[in-house]
Amino acid sequence: MNPPNRYALTFPGTPGAHAPQDVVVVTRTSTTGPGGHPVYEDDSGIVRAEISDAGEVRMLATGGHQTPNYPVHAQPLP
């Protein structure tokens, strides 16, 4: 089975601020991550994630000193 071409990653809002969750749409790239799964990125190239067939997400840093947050949900998109 082919992996989805896109995912919607939902990130928690700012703790204690009652902020809404952030949703970022990522698209599959031609590369694979350290776990051998497809790498997805947003249009800016800043949000990058390796997503397994089981929907497990590993965020990938795109710059120095970056500590990426992990999404609370990864939803495949058509």
Side-chain angles (χ1 to χ4, degrees):
M1 184 165 97
N2 289 334
N5 284 325
R6 299 181 319 142
Y7 275 91
L9 302 180
T10 304
F11 294 87
T14 305
H18 301 288
Q21 295 179 327
D22 292 321
V23 177
V24 177
V25 175
V26 292
T27 304
R28 188 174 65 199
T29 68
S30 61
T31 61
T32 56
H37 303 288
V39 171
Y40 294 77
E41 69 181 20
D42 72 338
D43 289 338
S44 72
I46 294 173
V47 177
R48 291 185 51 127
E50 176 184 13
I51 305 176
S52 75
D53 296 341
E56 300 164 323
V57 180
R58 178 191 314 210
M59 296 304 296
L60 304 171
T62 59
H65 306 292
Q66 185 180 27
T67 306
N69 290 332
Y70 279 84
V72 293
H73 186 71
Q75 176 68 41
L77 298 174

